[in-house]
Structures are given as C-alpha cells and as structure tokens.
Amino acid sequence: MTSSSKKTRVLFRKFQNRLAAAPLQKPEDSVLLRILVQLLVTVGICAIVVAAADISETPVVNLLAIPLSGLGAAWSWYRRRHHNIAVKFCIAIGMLVAMAIFFVRLLDEPGDTRLILAGLLIQLQVLHSFDLPRRKDLGYSIMIGLILIGVAGTVSQTLVFGPLLLLFFAIALPVLVLDYRSRLGLLVQSWKGVVTDLAPRRLGWVMLITLGLGLIIFAFLPRLPGYQIRTFPVSSNIEFEGSFDGRTIVNPGYVRRGADNATAADQETGLGGLTGQANNQGPGQLDKTFYYGFNQRMNQNLRGSLTPKVVMRVRSQAEGFWRVLAFDRYTGQGWEISRNEDSQVVKRSFLSYEFFLPRTPRLGRKREIIQTYTMVSDLPNLIPALYEAKSIYFPTQEIAIGLEGALRSPVGLTEDLTYTVVSQVSLRDRTALGKAPTDYAQTVRDLYLQIPPEIEERVRQQAEELLAKSAKPIVNPYEKALFLAQALKQNYAIQPELPFLEEGEDLVEAFLFKHQGGYPDHFSTVLTVMLRSIGIPARLEVGFGPGQFNPFTGFYVVRNTDAYAMTEVYFPKYGWFAFDPIPGHEVLPPSVSESQTFGVLRQFWNWLAGWAPSPVAGFLDGFFRWLTAFLSRLAAWTSHLFSRGWVGAILGAAYLTGLGFLGWLGWTSLSAWRHQRWLSQLPPMEGLYQRMLGWLSQQGFPKSTTQTPLEFAQQLYTQPGFRHSQVVHEICHAYVRWRYGGEEQNLGYLRERLRSLKRRQPKAKQGKNKLKK
C-alpha cells in the first residue's frame, strides 16, 4: 500500500470521527405531529393527482410518492437520533437526478410548467422524507404540502378539488397547534392535547369563518385587465404527419366514415378520408352529440335535438360568445362558406407555442381578453375563441385561419387538449356604430348582400313592415338591426315540431309566412337575410354561448347544447358586431364591457340570485340599489356644499370633520364594547391573561405576536424601567400551565396580583424606549 493511499485513509477516518463526534441537534419526538405532517403532504399529493386528471395524464411516479413518502417518514422516526451520513449523501445525489429530470421535461414541454414544477416538488418531498429529524425539517414538508395544494388549486377545473382543500385545512389546524406546542417544549403524544386546545366546536367555527372570509375575498378580489406573465396553459406538442392546407373541416357527427383513401396519419388523427359533407342538403336527423353548424355547410333542414353533454371548460377574463365559424352564402335551406379554399395557414416558431394571427385594423375602443380552453370531450377541428383573436397558444406546428375569421386545427380537438387565446375584443359603442358610414365596398356588397332573387322582394317588404311599427323613424343600420332582432322575438315563436322543408322550399319564406317561426337557429338566419334584403351587410356566425359559470372554480362550463347561431352585422371601419334574435336570449349577446374589474362579484351574485327565491332576490337587489342611490346623493350634496364659495368650503370642512369625529367615536366605542364582550366569553384564566396583556400594552410594554408567554415574561425581567416582572412572570407561568398542561390555577390569588400590578404603574416611557432598542 502506497504512502498516498495511507494518507487518504487516515484523512477519511479523521473525517468520519469528526462527523461522529459532532453533536446531534435536538430531534422532534412528537409522533402525532409527524403523522399529521405526513397526512398533510399526502393530501397535497392527492390534490395534484386529482387536479391534473382534468388536463393531462397523471404520472405514475406521483402515485408512488404517497407510499414512498410514508416509508421515508417511518425511517426518519426510527433514525432521528443518528447522523445518517450515507442516507444524506444518497438524498443529495437523488435531488441532483430529480433536478436533471426537471430540466429535461422543461425543455420537452415548454408550455404550462405548473405540473412539471409540482412533479419536482413531489420528488424532492419523497427524498426529503428520509431525513426528518428536527421540527424545522417537518416545517419544510409542511411548506411543500402547502405549495402542492396551491398548485392544485390553480390547475383544478372542477369542484372535486374542494373536499381535498377542506381536508387539508382540517389537518393543518392541529398541525399548527402541535408545532406551537413543540416550540414551547410541550410534546403531545395523543389527541388529548389537541382536543383540549382546539375543541371540535371551536375547530368548526374557525373553519367556517375562514371559509367565509376566503369566499368574500375571492368575490371582491379585483380582476385587473391583462396578465403580467405571458406563459399561458397549453398542451404538450402534437406532431401531425401529412400536409395541412386549412381547407378541411371535420365534424365527427356529420362525416362519411370508412374512406379507403385515408393515410395512416389521417386515420390516427381521425381526419383522413372524411369530407364533412354528409347530410349537407335535404331532410335528415341531427346528431345527438355534435352541433350541425360546425362544418363547411350548414343544413338547416335537419330535425331533432342534442343530448346535453359538457364539451369544454373556459377560463376567461370576461364573459363572451366563444365563436367558432361564420357563413357568408345563403343556400335557401342553410348556409355555406363560399371562400373555404382561401384559408391561410399560419406557422409558429419551434421555440414557442404562440401563433401571431393576421387582423384587420378597426376603429373604436378595444379590450384584450385572455381565454384558456380545456376540452372535456371531442370536438371538430375548429378552434373556439372570442372574436377577434390576435394570438393563440396551440400545441400543433400549424393552424389555419379562414377569411371569415374561423380558426382551424390540423387535428380534431380531443379530450384534455388545452390552449390559450389572446383576443382584441371591440367594445360596443351604440352612438359610434349608429354614425358608421354606409358606403360599403363592392366586395362587401357581393358577399354579404347575397340573397335568392325569388324571395328578395317579399322579405324586404316584411322587413319594412316590421320597421314601420317603430314609434319613430329608424334611419341607421345599427338601430334597424336592433329593432328587427327584437321584432322577430316578439312576433314569431320557436316551433319544436317543425316539419321538413319540401324540395325547393325556402327556409326564410316558410318561417315568415307559413310556420310563423322555426328552430332557434332559424331566427338568426331570418334576421341575416332580412338585413341583406334592406341593404345591410350581414353574415351568420355559430359558436358556443358562455355556458354556466362556476364561481368556485372560475370556469365557464360549456355544453354542446350551448351552441347556436347569431347574426353578425358589418359596420365600415368598426368591423362586425353580433345581434341575437332568438327568443329567451338577450338581443345584444354576451360581450365585453368597458370594465370587468369586479366581474367575478357580479357573476357570483347572479349565481346566488338564481338559487334564492324571487322575493329574497328582489329585496336584496332593491336594497343594494337604494344604498347606491343614497351614497350617490350624499356625495353630490357634499360636492355642492363645497362649491358655494368660502362659506361653503368652511361649512363643508366642518361637516366632514364632525362626520369624521363621530365615525371615530363610534368605531372606538364599538371596538371597546367588542373587546369587553370578547373578554367576558373567554375562560377565566384566558381572560385574566388577556387583560394583563392589554394593560401592559397601554403602559408601553406590548407583547410581540412572535413571542411565547414565557419569552415575553423573560424579556420584561431585562427591562430596568419595569419593577414588577415577578407578577407578570407568575401570571404567564400560570397561563402556560393551564393552557398546555390542563392544570387548575388559583384565580383569586392571580386576580389580586393583577390588581396590585395596576396599582403600581411602571415607568412606561423608559421601558418602551428600551423595548424599541
């Protein structure tokens, strides 16, 4: 053996001996605290697994983390009084491997990184669980559990996350109590101490108050326009083999299946050999799942109804109509896209998921609205979005955009697919649109004034008869569109048992003069053709209504039955704006208002009003209206008072000063009454301790919230200006013995000691200055 190897062995032995001789830090011996911390982490992992199931497949390693973490916690308990050098070394290597895996996944999936980060935390927790000797180490595990439940809350799209959140909160409360006991050196090995400190009734009240405050904060929390971070949720990259020209629209409910000319890649995506033209004319039956309007042609001679089914969830900064497609050519019994062959293919950089889309410059105010869509069931290869999208984060390398603004994907929108759209939405200004010019370009006239000649005159006469019913003349296109939409609602009815149209029979004529109504979408067709007949350019758009808003998750739950058609009217320089003539719908469809800062509060109130009885909802609505009117009148009167010269200014200042003094006096009295009421409801020992703290605070010796009772008493011993630290020490020790040991105390003696303390006031100023130092 060489001399160098001998020296190495000697150095290694010295290093081992030094490690063995190093003093062990005090371990955490509370079995109950360790068990509850492990349960807390387990709930966090389960929450990630459940939440991630809404948008992606759950990695197996996340499920294995639960038993592995439990095994590590058991090992830590048995080895808590050992150095465990070899285990620490292996944990360090494992953490480096986990970090490498994290960066590899980050490069492969550069979109939404929340689940990737959560996966890294779970892996680190499993490794960390094999070395938890101290209370501080358990604190790290508590923080990991808290982060995991927070990430799960941002990812979750359903209320399934709710019970896990409540369970986490129910476990977290006793964990905090035990952690505090451990800091005081009072270990608890059973549930007795927890029940004493946090009785079930008190625990229930704490949970209810916290949940109530959380819901109030959530409802009132302002939703400021725009996101500060431009990394949006999007699925992993989807590889599409084959050519994509953007012309093919495939609705799985209206295709001919089994085509022999489909390529392997096409068969894999479900698009190959499918023309999307089945049932595009003549009588037929509606598919029970897929909306018939999502196609190149829209046959409105189909009969039947959809079976309700959730198709997607949308998180959006504002409510809106999730537009899918628009048609420009009326066929007599439906619609078609005349310029389908002119779709434009858009490609993105391989470094980003963002597509930049072409847009037409428009006048008027606009709002940027960000929406994230998650598919719950399969949809056609048409991408819903608020109109007009300026960019989209989508997992394919290419998408297409039609001349009517429809976004198309090379693959169908399958379950769990997620994408994000950034739209520049025009704000509806009735005055400006009413003054829009009417000198339409020839291209607009050719495309959006098209109407079958055989029905044109008769439809025009009917439109003019309806407009003639207005109390005053209507001169601009916006008001005409608005009035005709309302007139169709009032004069025609939905006919659920509508017969098929005969061959050559026109839908609009049958609606107006034969059946006096039709299916809901037929109203939009009739309005579109009516507007064209009087020289107003219009087209038919189809998409999904907002759906049902869930105030707890923040998502709009959209079903297939939320799909319908509306009329879009063109206003030169301002673009397209929609009108909804369907009975039961608002004439002006869901759109973006100028300010949505407290939009969630409005949605939450609408949701509550829907559940509340009509008299209750009416009373609350009237009360809020009265309160708003009263405050407005009060503000107006005060403003008027200040505008009356110097005398008014002096009177106004005196009025505001008096009002402020009365407010302060009332608040002070209320606070004092609430404090006395709170003290009277406390147990005698607790009330005595709190009275002492309140009096000491008034004298200039406040207790810090981070101090334990014994630490506070010990600090007062060091204050030269405080001569009665012995009294405080006695009361603090009695309080700790009662609070954490369950021992009865001599309350009469302690009350007398507190009275003696109040009779001998300490030198507050000197003590206060010393505390600040």
Side-chain angles (χ1 to χ4, degrees), residues 189-258:
Q189 304 295 334
S190 68
W191 284 100
K192 181 180 178 180
V194 179
V195 175
T196 302
D197 276 349
L198 205 58
R201 182 179 179 182
R202 185 182 299 178
L203 174 64
W205 277 112
V206 171
M207 291 187 65
L208 286 176
I209 293 172
T210 306
L211 289 174
L213 290 175
L215 289 174
I216 292 173
I217 294 172
F218 174 78
F220 282 89
L221 191 67
R223 266 59 177 177
L224 299 177
Y227 285 13
Q228 300 301 319
I229 300 176
R230 291 286 171 167
T231 301
F232 299 123
V234 61
S235 296
S236 301
N237 186 60
I238 298 176
E239 297 291 341
F240 175 73
E241 299 295 336
S243 60
F244 173 63
D245 57 13
R247 301 175 183 176
T248 304
I249 300 176
V250 178
N251 187 328
Y254 299 90
V255 296
R256 294 194 298 269
R257 303 190 177 277

Side-chain angles (χ1 to χ4, degrees), residues 18-221:
R18 182 173 296 180
L19 289 177
L24 280 171
Q25 294 186 345
K26 183 180 179 181
E28 176 57 62
D29 291 322
S30 174
V31 178
L32 188 55
L33 178 58
R34 289 177 174 271
I35 292 175
L36 289 178
V37 169
Q38 185 58 35
L39 288 176
L40 205 67
V41 173
T42 300
V43 173
I45 296 174
C46 291
I48 286 290
V49 173
V50 171
D54 293 333
I55 59 176
S56 65
E57 295 182 0
T58 303
V60 178
V61 67
N62 289 353
L63 299 175
L64 292 177
I66 297 175
L68 289 177
S69 181
L71 180 64
W75 167 268
S76 295
W77 163 254
Y78 287 110
R79 300 284 299 178
R80 68 189 184 279
R81 301 187 186 278
H82 298 78
H83 286 290
N84 301 319
I85 302 301
V87 174
K88 294 177 187 285
F89 182 75
C90 293
I91 289 175
I93 295 177
M95 287 184 174
L96 292 176
V97 173
M99 185 65 68
I101 295 173
F102 166 73
F103 282 115
V104 170
R105 291 189 62 193
L106 201 62
L107 293 175
D108 290 342
E109 306 171 20
D112 187 4
T113 59
R114 291 174 296 177
L115 292 180
I116 301 176
L117 288 169
L120 174 64
L121 275 179
I122 292 174
Q123 294 165 12
L124 295 180
Q125 167 57 27
V126 171
L127 296 170
H128 176 63
S129 65
F130 284 87
D131 185 34
L132 301 172
R134 302 168 299 170
R135 183 183 69 248
K136 183 186 293 186
D137 299 312
L138 293 175
Y140 296 147
S141 293
I142 294 173
M143 289 305 301
I144 290 177
L146 182 63
I147 295 172
L148 290 178
I149 202 74
V151 173
T154 65
V155 172
S156 177
Q157 299 183 359
T158 65
L159 289 178
V160 177
F161 169 74
L164 290 172
L165 179 61
L166 294 177
L167 180 60
F168 183 90
F169 182 50
I171 298 173
L173 288 179
V175 165
L176 294 176
V177 172
L178 289 176
D179 182 75
Y180 186 65
R181 281 175 166 273
S182 179
R183 293 174 188 272
L184 294 175
L186 300 172
L187 297 180
V188 179
Q189 304 295 334
S190 68
W191 284 100
K192 181 180 178 180
V194 179
V195 175
T196 302
D197 276 349
L198 205 58
R201 182 179 179 182
R202 185 182 299 178
L203 174 64
W205 277 112
V206 171
M207 291 187 65
L208 286 176
I209 293 172
T210 306
L211 289 174
L213 290 175
L215 289 174
I216 292 173
I217 294 172
F218 174 78
F220 282 89
L221 191 67

Side-chain angles (χ1 to χ4, degrees), residues 133 186 190 228 359 371 384 389 418 553 576 626 632 670:
L186 300 172
S190 68
Q228 300 301 319
R359 294 186 299 125
Q371 322 113 60
T418 299
T553 63
W576 296 90
W626 172 84
S632 300
L670 178 63

Side-chain angles (χ1 to χ4, degrees), residues 654-728:
Y655 163 73
L656 291 179
T657 303
L659 195 64
F661 174 75
L662 290 176
W664 171 81
L665 186 61
W667 176 255
T668 303
S669 301
L670 178 63
S671 299
W673 175 79
R674 289 179 59 195
H675 183 69
Q676 291 300 324
R677 185 172 181 271
W678 173 67
L679 289 175
S680 65
Q681 294 177 344
L682 295 176
M685 186 65 230
E686 177 80 20
L688 188 144
Y689 173 71
Q690 292 295 338
R691 286 186 175 89
M692 180 194 72
L693 292 183
W695 184 81
L696 288 174
S697 179
Q698 294 174 3
Q699 302 305 314
F701 298 93
K703 174 183 173 295
S704 172
T705 56
T706 60
Q707 288 180 312
T708 65
L710 299 184
E711 289 173 344
F712 177 60
Q714 184 64 31
Q715 183 182 9
L716 291 180
Y717 264 117
T718 64
Q719 305 303 320
F722 192 83
R723 301 178 180 179
H724 307 286
S725 54
Q726 180 63 34
V727 178
V728 177

Side-chain angles (χ1 to χ4, degrees), residues 542-617:
V542 292
F544 293 99
Q548 184 178 2
F549 179 75
N550 188 327
F552 300 103
T553 63
F555 280 88
Y556 294 90
V557 180
V558 183
R559 294 172 171 78
N560 54 353
T561 50
D562 292 320
Y564 61 92
M566 290 195 302
T567 297
E568 282 186 331
V569 180
Y570 178 72
F571 299 92
K573 299 183 180 181
Y574 292 93
W576 296 90
F577 287 85
F579 296 83
D580 191 346
I582 300 175
H585 293 193
E586 296 290 336
V587 177
L588 300 181
S591 61
V592 179
S593 62
E594 187 171 358
S595 175
Q596 290 282 342
T597 305
F598 294 97
V600 173
L601 180 60
R602 178 178 59 83
Q603 293 283 0
F604 192 77
W605 164 249
N606 292 339
W607 180 80
L608 287 177
W611 285 92
S614 298
V616 176

Side-chain angles (χ1 to χ4, degrees), residues 479-651:
E479 297 300 330
K480 288 181 180 180
L482 196 62
F483 186 86
L484 286 177
Q486 190 63 46
L488 288 176
K489 290 173 177 284
Q490 295 174 351
N491 293 279
Y492 298 90
I494 293 177
Q495 307 288 351
E497 302 298 330
L498 192 70
F500 289 109
L501 296 173
E502 299 177 1
E503 186 176 355
E505 186 178 13
D506 187 87
L507 183 149
V508 175
E509 274 194 320
F511 181 99
L512 292 174
F513 310 112
K514 181 178 179 180
H515 302 300
Q516 298 298 309
Y519 273 19
D521 286 352
H522 296 175
F523 284 79
S524 301
T525 292
V526 172
L527 177 60
T528 306
V529 174
M530 267 191 167
L531 292 173
R532 290 184 173 192
S533 71
I534 57 176
I536 300 176
R539 66 185 181 189
L540 191 82
E541 70 166 351
V542 292
F544 293 99
Q548 184 178 2
F549 179 75
N550 188 327
F552 300 103
T553 63
F555 280 88
Y556 294 90
V557 180
V558 183
R559 294 172 171 78
N560 54 353
T561 50
D562 292 320
Y564 61 92
M566 290 195 302
T567 297
E568 282 186 331
V569 180
Y570 178 72
F571 299 92
K573 299 183 180 181
Y574 292 93
W576 296 90
F577 287 85
F579 296 83
D580 191 346
I582 300 175
H585 293 193
E586 296 290 336
V587 177
L588 300 181
S591 61
V592 179
S593 62
E594 187 171 358
S595 175
Q596 290 282 342
T597 305
F598 294 97
V600 173
L601 180 60
R602 178 178 59 83
Q603 293 283 0
F604 192 77
W605 164 249
N606 292 339
W607 180 80
L608 287 177
W611 285 92
S614 298
V616 176
F619 169 77
L620 292 176
D621 186 62
F623 172 76
F624 286 126
R625 289 179 184 274
W626 172 84
L627 183 62
T628 303
F630 172 75
L631 293 176
S632 300
R633 287 195 296 268
L634 183 62
W637 180 81
T638 304
S639 176
H640 177 70
L641 187 63
F642 274 97
S643 65
R644 298 177 61 182
W646 287 104
V647 176
I650 295 174
L651 291 176

